[in-house]
Amino acid sequence: MMRRPIGARRAGQIWSSDLAVSSVIFVGVCLLASTIITQIVRDDQFADVRGQASVLAELLVREGYPAHWTADDIIKVGIASEHRMSPRKLQELALLDNATLRRAARVRDDFYIYISDDHNITIPIAGSCGIGDLVVASISNTTLLDAAAIVGPSSPVADSVAALAPRIPLESNQSHEVLILEGLVFNASSASTAATLLDMIARRGITIFIIGDPGASVLGVRTNATPVDNITLVGGTGGRIVFPSSGVVSVSGTMDTIDTPDAEAVTHYSTIAIASSGKAAYATWLFHDSRVWYFASSDGILDDGTAVIDHLSNATRSVINASSPSCSPPSFPDAEQMVLYTRAMPYRGEIVYVNAAVWRSR
Amino acid sequence: MRTQPTAPRDRSGQVVLEFVFMIAFAMIIGAVTMVIAFDLMAETSERQRYAAIQDAGYAIQDELILAATVDDGYHRIIDVPDRADRFQYTLSTDADGAGLSVRSGQYALTFDIPPILGEVHDGATFLIRKSGTVIVVEVVG
């Protein structure tokens, strides 16, 4: 080390230009190191968010697992069925709690799923504009169902299944998510045609309501002297007939075996109509990707003089025909990282876009 | 800091003192930077651990779902690594064979799986579908 001559006057060697330069270098290196580390972490997080969004979008356009999953048994999410978007699965998706949805959708961060059409108009899912971690304004006066086609004896379509089958324009009629079939359009001699027709509808994921007298309909054939007790459900096994008046759940008799893998048991019931002079019941089951609701009555008359069957029919129509919600495009939060993936898939004869956004909050 | 014009011995001592102060200051800055960086890296590491074991669980889940959705006769040997990324983890299967638990560090994740017969272990694992059931066998040797 060099020493200054004794007595030489020099104020504070510590402030020399050497120290100033070295300090600047030192601070610069510290800043550079912290910037590099932060950038590495940020890149890693972005890759993670992007990976989640990509996986979510890919999962959504598939069938999921089980193929005909419900909110009770879902393992892997997917809203497609037979290569089309399934309204039923969308409705089931909306029923999932957040933890189950996250697990099935394989998402760790915040996410939001919404469906839009060619004109970037958001299509509601089960009365909501989307599903996920965005808070969207609740939409009043909506139902799970957007549209319905009502096919009954008084409708301009057929009065028998044989004539009904070719006249329901299924391909052009895909804007309907719901089909209400009044049992009287069927007759006992048209069982196979009815089954074929239902099969065609069910493969499109359309929710089917059948309203009828089990004694007259091939969809609820009375097999003994007691109406309603033993009926045959098209496409159903393990179905249950539920009597709202007593709450008794009884296993129905012989089940049709046209196509059974989607059938499920009904484990709950809600009151639909009670008449002192007759019975009303409903059954529900999965048939392909459709949920079938079958309301049956045996000539009961309600207090107001309405036949139970008419009551059910009117109630179903009024519920289904509620107005559809309108949604504005989602407004995403100011996130540090956010990725939006869009996948196209067929729905109602058109192409819709499944949008999956994942973001990490600041 | 101003130095007093005193004897050369005093000034020399002051220079040493200031040098020590500056070095100490630099060390403090360095230490703070290190602590922040370490904290950031530790947080990232834990996040990576969570993501890694989750991905590992999903990968196994996918294999079991694949085995459950194909026809009888399907068989496949999969290699279940003993580490996910750089993180060690343990696997366990629920008694009813319908859930798979993956544990690592403070995390324990459960994955729904199709019902299986047997348990999933790390290492070579033989999957076979027979009579509609997915059978999982550890490959020994």
mmCIF file of all heavy atoms in Angstrom, chain B residues 102-140:
data_model
loop_
_atom_site.group_PDB
_atom_site.id
_atom_site.type_symbol
_atom_site.label_atom_id
_atom_site.label_comp_id
_atom_site.label_asym_id
_atom_site.label_seq_id
_atom_site.Cartn_x
_atom_site.Cartn_y
_atom_site.Cartn_z
ATOM 1 N N VAL B 102 -50.895 -36.824 -3.733
ATOM 2 C CA VAL B 102 -49.506 -36.492 -4.017
ATOM 3 C C VAL B 102 -49.055 -35.489 -2.953
ATOM 4 O O VAL B 102 -49.681 -34.451 -2.770
ATOM 5 C CB VAL B 102 -49.346 -35.870 -5.419
ATOM 6 C CG1 VAL B 102 -47.873 -35.634 -5.726
ATOM 7 C CG2 VAL B 102 -49.973 -36.752 -6.477
ATOM 8 N N ARG B 103 -47.980 -35.840 -2.238
ATOM 9 C CA ARG B 103 -47.496 -34.980 -1.154
ATOM 10 C C ARG B 103 -46.059 -34.574 -1.426
ATOM 11 O O ARG B 103 -45.236 -35.388 -1.836
ATOM 12 C CB ARG B 103 -47.546 -35.718 0.182
ATOM 13 C CG ARG B 103 -48.928 -36.054 0.640
ATOM 14 C CD ARG B 103 -48.876 -36.997 1.838
ATOM 15 N NE ARG B 103 -50.191 -37.515 2.141
ATOM 16 C CZ ARG B 103 -51.082 -36.885 2.891
ATOM 17 N NH1 ARG B 103 -50.778 -35.730 3.429
ATOM 18 N NH2 ARG B 103 -52.265 -37.412 3.115
ATOM 19 N N SER B 104 -45.798 -33.323 -1.152
ATOM 20 C CA SER B 104 -44.430 -32.828 -1.254
ATOM 21 C C SER B 104 -44.335 -31.562 -0.430
ATOM 22 O O SER B 104 -45.136 -30.636 -0.602
ATOM 23 C CB SER B 104 -44.070 -32.541 -2.712
ATOM 24 O OG SER B 104 -42.745 -32.047 -2.797
ATOM 25 N N GLY B 105 -43.382 -31.536 0.471
ATOM 26 C CA GLY B 105 -43.233 -30.353 1.318
ATOM 27 C C GLY B 105 -44.501 -30.089 2.091
ATOM 28 O O GLY B 105 -45.060 -30.989 2.727
ATOM 29 N N GLN B 106 -44.966 -28.878 2.038
ATOM 30 C CA GLN B 106 -46.173 -28.519 2.781
ATOM 31 C C GLN B 106 -47.450 -28.835 2.003
ATOM 32 O O GLN B 106 -48.547 -28.602 2.508
ATOM 33 C CB GLN B 106 -46.143 -27.024 3.098
ATOM 34 C CG GLN B 106 -46.080 -26.154 1.849
ATOM 35 C CD GLN B 106 -46.137 -24.683 2.169
ATOM 36 O OE1 GLN B 106 -46.912 -24.252 3.004
ATOM 37 N NE2 GLN B 106 -45.283 -23.903 1.518
ATOM 38 N N TYR B 107 -47.310 -29.344 0.802
ATOM 39 C CA TYR B 107 -48.489 -29.547 -0.040
ATOM 40 C C TYR B 107 -48.937 -31.009 -0.048
ATOM 41 O O TYR B 107 -48.116 -31.911 -0.080
ATOM 42 C CB TYR B 107 -48.216 -29.101 -1.475
ATOM 43 C CG TYR B 107 -47.818 -27.653 -1.582
ATOM 44 C CD1 TYR B 107 -46.544 -27.283 -1.982
ATOM 45 C CD2 TYR B 107 -48.724 -26.645 -1.273
ATOM 46 C CE1 TYR B 107 -46.175 -25.951 -2.074
ATOM 47 C CE2 TYR B 107 -48.366 -25.307 -1.355
ATOM 48 C CZ TYR B 107 -47.095 -24.973 -1.756
ATOM 49 O OH TYR B 107 -46.729 -23.662 -1.834
ATOM 50 N N ALA B 108 -50.230 -31.177 -0.047
ATOM 51 C CA ALA B 108 -50.835 -32.503 -0.216
ATOM 52 C C ALA B 108 -52.034 -32.334 -1.134
ATOM 53 O O ALA B 108 -53.039 -31.737 -0.750
ATOM 54 C CB ALA B 108 -51.256 -33.078 1.126
ATOM 55 N N LEU B 109 -51.910 -32.812 -2.341
ATOM 56 C CA LEU B 109 -52.979 -32.645 -3.327
ATOM 57 C C LEU B 109 -53.667 -33.980 -3.574
ATOM 58 O O LEU B 109 -53.022 -35.022 -3.605
ATOM 59 C CB LEU B 109 -52.414 -32.116 -4.645
ATOM 60 C CG LEU B 109 -51.580 -30.831 -4.571
ATOM 61 C CD1 LEU B 109 -51.107 -30.432 -5.959
ATOM 62 C CD2 LEU B 109 -52.385 -29.712 -3.951
ATOM 63 N N THR B 110 -54.970 -33.913 -3.751
ATOM 64 C CA THR B 110 -55.735 -35.125 -4.041
ATOM 65 C C THR B 110 -56.355 -35.009 -5.424
ATOM 66 O O THR B 110 -56.913 -33.975 -5.771
ATOM 67 C CB THR B 110 -56.842 -35.325 -2.995
ATOM 68 O OG1 THR B 110 -56.232 -35.357 -1.703
ATOM 69 C CG2 THR B 110 -57.571 -36.636 -3.226
ATOM 70 N N PHE B 111 -56.243 -36.074 -6.175
ATOM 71 C CA PHE B 111 -56.776 -36.093 -7.538
ATOM 72 C C PHE B 111 -57.817 -37.204 -7.648
ATOM 73 O O PHE B 111 -57.577 -38.322 -7.207
ATOM 74 C CB PHE B 111 -55.655 -36.362 -8.546
ATOM 75 C CG PHE B 111 -54.575 -35.318 -8.529
ATOM 76 C CD1 PHE B 111 -53.518 -35.418 -7.641
ATOM 77 C CD2 PHE B 111 -54.629 -34.228 -9.376
ATOM 78 C CE1 PHE B 111 -52.526 -34.459 -7.610
ATOM 79 C CE2 PHE B 111 -53.648 -33.263 -9.344
ATOM 80 C CZ PHE B 111 -52.597 -33.374 -8.466
ATOM 81 N N ASP B 112 -58.951 -36.852 -8.255
ATOM 82 C CA ASP B 112 -59.945 -37.891 -8.537
ATOM 83 C C ASP B 112 -59.447 -38.722 -9.705
ATOM 84 O O ASP B 112 -58.939 -38.179 -10.690
ATOM 85 C CB ASP B 112 -61.284 -37.250 -8.910
ATOM 86 C CG ASP B 112 -61.869 -36.464 -7.753
ATOM 87 O OD1 ASP B 112 -61.690 -36.903 -6.608
ATOM 88 O OD2 ASP B 112 -62.483 -35.405 -7.987
ATOM 89 N N ILE B 113 -59.598 -40.015 -9.579
ATOM 90 C CA ILE B 113 -59.180 -40.901 -10.670
ATOM 91 C C ILE B 113 -60.269 -41.947 -10.894
ATOM 92 O O ILE B 113 -61.099 -42.172 -10.011
ATOM 93 C CB ILE B 113 -57.835 -41.613 -10.353
ATOM 94 C CG1 ILE B 113 -57.923 -42.356 -9.003
ATOM 95 C CG2 ILE B 113 -56.685 -40.628 -10.343
ATOM 96 C CD1 ILE B 113 -56.700 -43.206 -8.706
ATOM 97 N N PRO B 114 -60.280 -42.563 -12.067
ATOM 98 C CA PRO B 114 -61.219 -43.670 -12.263
ATOM 99 C C PRO B 114 -60.865 -44.775 -11.267
ATOM 100 O O PRO B 114 -59.686 -44.927 -10.903
ATOM 101 C CB PRO B 114 -60.943 -44.123 -13.698
ATOM 102 C CG PRO B 114 -60.129 -43.054 -14.321
ATOM 103 C CD PRO B 114 -59.435 -42.333 -13.238
ATOM 104 N N PRO B 115 -61.847 -45.521 -10.815
ATOM 105 C CA PRO B 115 -61.548 -46.591 -9.855
ATOM 106 C C PRO B 115 -60.491 -47.548 -10.402
ATOM 107 O O PRO B 115 -60.584 -47.983 -11.554
ATOM 108 C CB PRO B 115 -62.890 -47.293 -9.682
ATOM 109 C CG PRO B 115 -63.900 -46.274 -10.053
ATOM 110 C CD PRO B 115 -63.270 -45.437 -11.121
ATOM 111 N N ILE B 116 -59.507 -47.847 -9.589
ATOM 112 C CA ILE B 116 -58.451 -48.760 -10.023
ATOM 113 C C ILE B 116 -58.277 -49.858 -8.989
ATOM 114 O O ILE B 116 -58.685 -49.718 -7.829
ATOM 115 C CB ILE B 116 -57.095 -48.034 -10.218
ATOM 116 C CG1 ILE B 116 -56.625 -47.388 -8.893
ATOM 117 C CG2 ILE B 116 -57.182 -47.004 -11.304
ATOM 118 C CD1 ILE B 116 -55.208 -46.844 -8.943
ATOM 119 N N LEU B 117 -57.647 -50.920 -9.439
ATOM 120 C CA LEU B 117 -57.295 -52.012 -8.536
ATOM 121 C C LEU B 117 -55.784 -51.966 -8.381
ATOM 122 O O LEU B 117 -55.059 -52.064 -9.370
ATOM 123 C CB LEU B 117 -57.746 -53.344 -9.152
ATOM 124 C CG LEU B 117 -58.085 -54.483 -8.210
ATOM 125 C CD1 LEU B 117 -59.188 -54.102 -7.250
ATOM 126 C CD2 LEU B 117 -58.486 -55.715 -9.023
ATOM 127 N N GLY B 118 -55.315 -51.810 -7.183
ATOM 128 C CA GLY B 118 -53.879 -51.699 -6.969
ATOM 129 C C GLY B 118 -53.502 -50.283 -6.562
ATOM 130 O O GLY B 118 -54.380 -49.433 -6.377
ATOM 131 N N GLU B 119 -52.223 -50.074 -6.425
ATOM 132 C CA GLU B 119 -51.748 -48.755 -6.003
ATOM 133 C C GLU B 119 -50.713 -48.219 -6.969
ATOM 134 O O GLU B 119 -49.927 -48.971 -7.538
ATOM 135 C CB GLU B 119 -51.131 -48.850 -4.598
ATOM 136 C CG GLU B 119 -52.166 -49.056 -3.509
ATOM 137 C CD GLU B 119 -51.601 -48.735 -2.141
ATOM 138 O OE1 GLU B 119 -50.563 -48.045 -2.078
ATOM 139 O OE2 GLU B 119 -52.193 -49.177 -1.154
ATOM 140 N N VAL B 120 -50.731 -46.924 -7.091
ATOM 141 C CA VAL B 120 -49.755 -46.286 -7.968
ATOM 142 C C VAL B 120 -48.488 -46.005 -7.158
ATOM 143 O O VAL B 120 -48.547 -45.431 -6.072
ATOM 144 C CB VAL B 120 -50.307 -44.967 -8.537
ATOM 145 C CG1 VAL B 120 -49.278 -44.319 -9.452
ATOM 146 C CG2 VAL B 120 -51.613 -45.210 -9.281
ATOM 147 N N HIS B 121 -47.345 -46.455 -7.669
ATOM 148 C CA HIS B 121 -46.058 -46.205 -7.018
ATOM 149 C C HIS B 121 -45.172 -45.458 -7.984
ATOM 150 O O HIS B 121 -45.438 -45.424 -9.183
ATOM 151 C CB HIS B 121 -45.378 -47.527 -6.651
ATOM 152 C CG HIS B 121 -46.173 -48.367 -5.707
ATOM 153 N ND1 HIS B 121 -46.106 -48.198 -4.355
ATOM 154 C CD2 HIS B 121 -47.059 -49.364 -5.932
ATOM 155 C CE1 HIS B 121 -46.919 -49.079 -3.776
ATOM 156 N NE2 HIS B 121 -47.508 -49.793 -4.705
ATOM 157 N N ASP B 122 -44.075 -44.935 -7.451
ATOM 158 C CA ASP B 122 -43.095 -44.389 -8.375
ATOM 159 C C ASP B 122 -42.295 -45.549 -8.968
ATOM 160 O O ASP B 122 -42.291 -46.661 -8.449
ATOM 161 C CB ASP B 122 -42.188 -43.358 -7.690
ATOM 162 C CG ASP B 122 -41.462 -43.934 -6.494
ATOM 163 O OD1 ASP B 122 -41.758 -45.082 -6.136
ATOM 164 O OD2 ASP B 122 -40.621 -43.237 -5.919
ATOM 165 N N GLY B 123 -41.676 -45.270 -10.094
ATOM 166 C CA GLY B 123 -40.971 -46.319 -10.813
ATOM 167 C C GLY B 123 -41.844 -46.903 -11.912
ATOM 168 O O GLY B 123 -42.943 -46.402 -12.195
ATOM 169 N N ALA B 124 -41.369 -47.976 -12.509
ATOM 170 C CA ALA B 124 -42.098 -48.596 -13.620
ATOM 171 C C ALA B 124 -43.412 -49.185 -13.103
ATOM 172 O O ALA B 124 -43.436 -49.918 -12.115
ATOM 173 C CB ALA B 124 -41.248 -49.677 -14.261
ATOM 174 N N THR B 125 -44.495 -48.841 -13.770
ATOM 175 C CA THR B 125 -45.830 -49.268 -13.333
ATOM 176 C C THR B 125 -46.587 -49.825 -14.529
ATOM 177 O O THR B 125 -46.610 -49.214 -15.594
ATOM 178 C CB THR B 125 -46.598 -48.072 -12.730
ATOM 179 O OG1 THR B 125 -45.806 -47.505 -11.681
ATOM 180 C CG2 THR B 125 -47.935 -48.501 -12.175
ATOM 181 N N PHE B 126 -47.169 -50.966 -14.326
ATOM 182 C CA PHE B 126 -47.887 -51.650 -15.394
ATOM 183 C C PHE B 126 -49.377 -51.375 -15.255
ATOM 184 O O PHE B 126 -49.971 -51.635 -14.208
ATOM 185 C CB PHE B 126 -47.601 -53.149 -15.293
ATOM 186 C CG PHE B 126 -48.116 -53.940 -16.447
ATOM 187 C CD1 PHE B 126 -47.706 -53.649 -17.737
ATOM 188 C CD2 PHE B 126 -48.993 -54.987 -16.255
ATOM 189 C CE1 PHE B 126 -48.165 -54.387 -18.817
ATOM 190 C CE2 PHE B 126 -49.468 -55.722 -17.323
ATOM 191 C CZ PHE B 126 -49.044 -55.427 -18.600
ATOM 192 N N LEU B 127 -49.971 -50.815 -16.304
ATOM 193 C CA LEU B 127 -51.411 -50.560 -16.306
ATOM 194 C C LEU B 127 -52.060 -51.544 -17.275
ATOM 195 O O LEU B 127 -51.597 -51.703 -18.399
ATOM 196 C CB LEU B 127 -51.727 -49.143 -16.778
ATOM 197 C CG LEU B 127 -51.119 -47.967 -16.030
ATOM 198 C CD1 LEU B 127 -51.583 -46.656 -16.655
ATOM 199 C CD2 LEU B 127 -51.513 -48.005 -14.569
ATOM 200 N N ILE B 128 -53.111 -52.165 -16.816
ATOM 201 C CA ILE B 128 -53.833 -53.077 -17.709
ATOM 202 C C ILE B 128 -55.324 -52.937 -17.453
ATOM 203 O O ILE B 128 -55.743 -52.727 -16.316
ATOM 204 C CB ILE B 128 -53.373 -54.546 -17.513
ATOM 205 C CG1 ILE B 128 -54.081 -55.453 -18.506
ATOM 206 C CG2 ILE B 128 -53.598 -55.028 -16.089
ATOM 207 C CD1 ILE B 128 -53.481 -56.834 -18.614
ATOM 208 N N ARG B 129 -56.072 -53.013 -18.528
ATOM 209 C CA ARG B 129 -57.518 -52.976 -18.359
ATOM 210 C C ARG B 129 -58.081 -54.361 -18.653
ATOM 211 O O ARG B 129 -57.876 -54.916 -19.738
ATOM 212 C CB ARG B 129 -58.144 -51.958 -19.302
ATOM 213 C CG ARG B 129 -59.636 -51.811 -19.060
ATOM 214 C CD ARG B 129 -60.238 -50.805 -19.991
ATOM 215 N NE ARG B 129 -61.619 -51.129 -20.221
ATOM 216 C CZ ARG B 129 -62.640 -50.382 -19.850
ATOM 217 N NH1 ARG B 129 -62.413 -49.244 -19.246
ATOM 218 N NH2 ARG B 129 -63.878 -50.740 -20.092
ATOM 219 N N LYS B 130 -58.758 -54.855 -17.662
ATOM 220 C CA LYS B 130 -59.292 -56.209 -17.786
ATOM 221 C C LYS B 130 -60.690 -56.236 -17.173
ATOM 222 O O LYS B 130 -60.887 -55.746 -16.055
ATOM 223 C CB LYS B 130 -58.368 -57.187 -17.051
ATOM 224 C CG LYS B 130 -58.689 -58.645 -17.263
ATOM 225 C CD LYS B 130 -57.657 -59.520 -16.564
ATOM 226 C CE LYS B 130 -57.979 -60.987 -16.765
ATOM 227 N NZ LYS B 130 -57.057 -61.851 -16.022
ATOM 228 N N SER B 131 -61.623 -56.776 -17.888
ATOM 229 C CA SER B 131 -63.018 -56.867 -17.440
ATOM 230 C C SER B 131 -63.535 -55.513 -16.959
ATOM 231 O O SER B 131 -64.211 -55.415 -15.933
ATOM 232 C CB SER B 131 -63.160 -57.901 -16.313
ATOM 233 O OG SER B 131 -62.640 -59.134 -16.714
ATOM 234 N N GLY B 132 -63.181 -54.499 -17.674
ATOM 235 C CA GLY B 132 -63.683 -53.168 -17.360
ATOM 236 C C GLY B 132 -62.993 -52.508 -16.192
ATOM 237 O O GLY B 132 -63.368 -51.400 -15.797
ATOM 238 N N THR B 133 -62.001 -53.150 -15.624
ATOM 239 C CA THR B 133 -61.315 -52.589 -14.462
ATOM 240 C C THR B 133 -59.869 -52.261 -14.819
ATOM 241 O O THR B 133 -59.210 -53.033 -15.513
ATOM 242 C CB THR B 133 -61.322 -53.605 -13.294
ATOM 243 O OG1 THR B 133 -62.665 -53.984 -13.038
ATOM 244 C CG2 THR B 133 -60.707 -52.979 -12.034
ATOM 245 N N VAL B 134 -59.417 -51.127 -14.311
ATOM 246 C CA VAL B 134 -58.019 -50.761 -14.522
ATOM 247 C C VAL B 134 -57.195 -51.338 -13.364
ATOM 248 O O VAL B 134 -57.451 -51.053 -12.194
ATOM 249 C CB VAL B 134 -57.850 -49.232 -14.565
ATOM 250 C CG1 VAL B 134 -56.373 -48.872 -14.710
ATOM 251 C CG2 VAL B 134 -58.663 -48.636 -15.697
ATOM 252 N N ILE B 135 -56.234 -52.161 -13.721
ATOM 253 C CA ILE B 135 -55.393 -52.800 -12.704
ATOM 254 C C ILE B 135 -54.002 -52.168 -12.782
ATOM 255 O O ILE B 135 -53.445 -52.012 -13.872
ATOM 256 C CB ILE B 135 -55.314 -54.320 -12.936
ATOM 257 C CG1 ILE B 135 -56.729 -54.908 -12.914
ATOM 258 C CG2 ILE B 135 -54.439 -54.982 -11.883
ATOM 259 C CD1 ILE B 135 -56.811 -56.338 -13.411
ATOM 260 N N VAL B 136 -53.496 -51.794 -11.632
ATOM 261 C CA VAL B 136 -52.189 -51.142 -11.564
ATOM 262 C C VAL B 136 -51.239 -52.057 -10.810
ATOM 263 O O VAL B 136 -51.510 -52.462 -9.678
ATOM 264 C CB VAL B 136 -52.297 -49.792 -10.831
ATOM 265 C CG1 VAL B 136 -50.925 -49.124 -10.757
ATOM 266 C CG2 VAL B 136 -53.292 -48.876 -11.531
ATOM 267 N N VAL B 137 -50.119 -52.388 -11.454
ATOM 268 C CA VAL B 137 -49.159 -53.304 -10.838
ATOM 269 C C VAL B 137 -47.780 -52.672 -10.895
ATOM 270 O O VAL B 137 -47.373 -52.132 -11.935
ATOM 271 C CB VAL B 137 -49.137 -54.663 -11.583
ATOM 272 C CG1 VAL B 137 -48.181 -55.621 -10.892
ATOM 273 C CG2 VAL B 137 -50.528 -55.250 -11.659
ATOM 274 N N GLU B 138 -47.092 -52.747 -9.795
ATOM 275 C CA GLU B 138 -45.729 -52.231 -9.766
ATOM 276 C C GLU B 138 -44.801 -53.242 -10.458
ATOM 277 O O GLU B 138 -44.855 -54.434 -10.172
ATOM 278 C CB GLU B 138 -45.286 -52.015 -8.315
ATOM 279 C CG GLU B 138 -43.925 -51.371 -8.187
ATOM 280 C CD GLU B 138 -43.539 -51.159 -6.728
ATOM 281 O OE1 GLU B 138 -44.255 -51.684 -5.852
ATOM 282 O OE2 GLU B 138 -42.540 -50.481 -6.481
ATOM 283 N N VAL B 139 -43.981 -52.749 -11.343
ATOM 284 C CA VAL B 139 -43.037 -53.629 -12.029
ATOM 285 C C VAL B 139 -41.788 -53.756 -11.173
ATOM 286 O O VAL B 139 -41.140 -52.759 -10.848
ATOM 287 C CB VAL B 139 -42.671 -53.070 -13.415
ATOM 288 C CG1 VAL B 139 -41.643 -53.970 -14.093
ATOM 289 C CG2 VAL B 139 -43.910 -52.937 -14.279
ATOM 290 N N VAL B 140 -41.504 -54.993 -10.795
ATOM 291 C CA VAL B 140 -40.345 -55.220 -9.922
ATOM 292 C C VAL B 140 -39.184 -55.747 -10.756
ATOM 293 O O VAL B 140 -39.367 -56.585 -11.621
ATOM 294 C CB VAL B 140 -40.695 -56.236 -8.810
ATOM 295 C CG1 VAL B 140 -39.498 -56.462 -7.911
ATOM 296 C CG2 VAL B 140 -41.889 -55.759 -8.026
#
